[in-house]
Amino acid sequence: MDKFTTHTGIGVPLRRSNVDTDQIIPAVYLKRVTKTGFDDALFAAWRGNEDFILNQDAYKAGSVLVAGPDFGTGSSREHAVWALKDYGFRVVLASRFADIFRGNSGKQGLLTGVVAPENIEQLWKLLESEPGVEITVSLEDRTVTCGSFTCEFEIDDYVRWRLMEGLDDISLTLQHEDAITAFEAKRDAWRPKTLPAKTLPPEPVEPARPVELTVGAQIPVRDN
Amino acid sequence: MGTTLAEKLWQDHLVVKGEDGAPDLIYIDLHMCHEVTSPQAFEGLRLAGRDVRRKDLTIATEDHNTPTLDIDRPIADTTSRIQVDTLRSNAREFGVRIHSLGDADQGVVHVVGPQLGLTMPGMTVVCGDSHTSTHGAFGSLAFGIGTSEVEHVLATQTLPLKPFKTMAINVNGELPEGSTAKDIILAIIAKIGTGGGQGYVLEYRGEAIRKLSMEARMTICNMSIEAGARAGLIAPDATTFEYVKGRPHAPEGAEWDAAVEYWSTLKTDEDAVFDETVELNASDLEPFVTWGTNPGQGLPLSASVPNPAEIADENDRVAAERALEYMGLTAGTPLKEIAIDTVFLGSCTNGRIEDLRAAASVIQGRTKASGLRMMVVPGSARVRLQAEAEGLDRVFKEFGAEWRNAGCSMCLGMNPDQLRPQERSASTSNRNFEGRQGKGGRTHLVSPLVAAATAVRGTLSSPADLDDAVPAAVDAA
Ligand code: SF4
């Protein structure tokens, strides 16, 4: 995870509240086996509409999303965060977020800042009156700046520290590498290992006995 | 004050004690993977340039997406095939042991671990799958995790966790003939509700539990999740040791002795205090079936479909109304009169050899209800081989049941084995949610004995309802 101190990028005003994770990324995209390459899936249903904000040239390269309240509600899918990040967003600002979405964001290095509703309104006006204008988000000072307008945002101290240090859960745990190694050194010898693989020898089973029905024959289902 | 078994296991796996509200770091003894929840975890490792820390504590198998027929042909559904192929290539790339389709140790991940002797007492076991609670039957702390946690365990062999609360479930009395572990757990869930276990590790105790075989204990722990709990466990005893002994990965010689010595200490202290206690008397327990769309909506088989109007709690009443509509049931209908289209015997709840034996003993020498379909899906390929060696396959086939290859099969609608809309099943699996077994499918959760008797009569039934004498044990050798 990269360290996050400040970020400057094009602001995108998304005047919608209750953007749930189904809208951020529809369920059909969940069948994929990758963790990247979800940029096309972001807001997939809305992007079919040419008036949608991300279809407008000025906002296409946006990296700071300014959204309405209750962003990220619904299912706990981590894909929502992956999609936002893959598209290029580094920051989402809203007056309220769903808890699980916020937790997932913090773990993946996407900054979610809570901004007072009147300041969100102000940011929307600024971004709409001058499409493509940049916003600067300082995690250090917990401020959002757009032109001459500056306001504050809230973020959990622990999450802020992690983002600024660029630490994901795994890196944090790996800071305890010595403790893990020491623990491993004193594990009991009887504890099982999967390698080398041990397995019972294949049993000599007579494959099929003479029975009328072949294995898996389709038996008609009764209709009701 | 003494400690509970769950707390002892926690202490024994504590790598770093969390300070100032930070979680504890817990060591993981065994990590099992399957194709659905692991791809992004491996991809995460690759993106971060990390390796699997302990390949020797990791194992993978294919189960959710795999077909149970034509397993020698490529998987027809593209998404399923990609997931399975991805698991195979990840296992190859990272050097993780995998049991693929066609291998004797392929099967539902929770059947495979114990069968190989990889699950034993005193361990921490995780898997990206909620029914990991199954392994708690050995007296281990075993729970399901999400995909980021899978990645975390692959990379560090540990998990940051906050301690759970503990709940004792005391099951006393003697289980009557014809009632099984499945009926105990369905009765517990009906009693405490599907949210009753939330935040807890359940410890099943009492004489009725002590008398159960290991496989029956696995059935109980398996469904802890349906009671909302994170995990369920049972203190190990002679039954447990006996089951583990001689399995491929079981310790031997001096290591076995050391293990048994430690395992024998794994019990809740007399003076330990649980956060919550629940009592259940097994001696009047009838076979249980579910009538609704969550596992808590269950009743004894002799009861009738409940009348929602008589349910006091508003939420429960609305849920019951919706459930009856979805299930196509009318209040007041005796459960035993509900006609079944398909009987599914299998899953990590009831797809082990004892389950197959129990069902075979009921159907042997009897005739299947006409028009009813019965699918028998062993929990693992090894269970299938064993059943074939005992001649159980012949009993099932002669009865007219489909004898299939191992996998999750009709436990969930993710592979070709699915119910059609409005098709009604009696299923030995663990979830009766709307659409779980196929879009629009209607599921009644039952024990293997009830499943078998139902296949004979065509309506929900227990072996006691079969008119002729109760048949003796299978004699097919
Ligand atoms: S058998 Fe069913 S419950 Fe068990 S792992 Fe497979 S899908 Fe999950």
Side-chain angles (χ1 to χ4, degrees), chain A residues 35 78 184 187 199 222, chain B residues 27 29 105 148 151 340 403:
Chain A
K35 200 172 175 174
E78 294 173 37
E184 285 177 328
R187 286 179 80 234
T199 184
R222 179 168 36 148
Chain B
Y27 199 81
D29 285 321
D105 291 304
S148 343
E151 183 181 340
I340 298 296
W403 178 248

Side-chain angles (χ1 to χ4, degrees), chain B residues 34 63-64 108-111 127 129-132 134 222 226 344 346-350 379 407-415 429-431 436:
Chain B
H34 64 67
D63 51 10
H64 284 63
V108 184
V109 63
H110 311 306
V111 177
C127 173
D129 190 283
S130 55
H131 290 96
T132 310
T134 312
N222 174 276
E226 275 64 48
F344 171 64
S347 88
C348 59
T349 314
N350 283 123
C408 293
S409 185
M410 204 185 259
C411 177
L412 91 172
M414 204 167 188
N415 53 68
S429 56
N430 46 46
R431 285 184 175 156
R436 165 82 175 179

Side-chain angles (χ1 to χ4, degrees), chain B residues 306-379:
Chain B
N307 183 354
E310 289 166 12
I311 299 176
D313 181 87
E314 158 103 38
N315 283 333
D316 289 352
R317 183 169 62 245
V318 174
E321 280 165 3
R322 274 233 312 274
L324 292 193
E325 193 187 331
Y326 179 85
M327 294 294 288
L329 294 174
T330 317
T333 311
L335 294 172
K336 283 188 186 172
E337 286 177 15
I338 298 175
I340 298 296
D341 304 306
T342 293
V343 169
F344 171 64
L345 177 61
S347 88
C348 59
T349 314
N350 283 123
R352 284 170 289 265
I353 192 72
E354 287 180 10
D355 302 312
L356 301 191
R357 284 184 194 139
S361 74
V362 174
I363 63 168
Q364 190 181 30
R366 293 194 158 112
T367 328
K368 184 170 64 66
S370 74
L372 178 139
R373 165 169 75 148
M374 181 175 192
M375 279 177 56
V376 186
V377 183

